[in-house]
Amino acid sequence: MSFSFTDPKPNNDRSFSFTGLDPADVEERLQAIADMAHEILRLVAEVRRQIST
């Protein structure tokens, strides 16, 4: 199983990809990415709250 993401903009060379033989490994990595994204959003909300007070 594999997962890949490439920004569709032609001038953007950012991409993300990984290949795992075990689907559980791919799922675990996707969950880790989702967890990091949630933490980033939480921190952004906290900073915005601090700025507005």
Side-chain angles (χ1 to χ4, degrees), residues 2-51:
S2 67
F3 172 84
S4 65
F5 170 80
T6 303
D7 194 325
K9 297 175 187 172
N11 294 333
N12 191 341
D13 61 354
R14 296 178 185 176
S15 65
F16 172 78
S17 66
F18 61 80
T19 302
L21 298 177
D22 183 2
D25 183 47
V26 173
E27 186 62 35
E28 183 178 317
R29 291 180 188 209
L30 289 173
Q31 186 59 53
I33 292 166
D35 292 345
M36 285 186 278
H38 286 290
E39 179 64 9
I40 290 166
L41 292 173
R42 186 190 68 76
L43 292 171
V44 167
E46 183 178 326
V47 168
R48 285 183 175 166
R49 182 186 54 78
Q50 290 176 3
I51 290 172

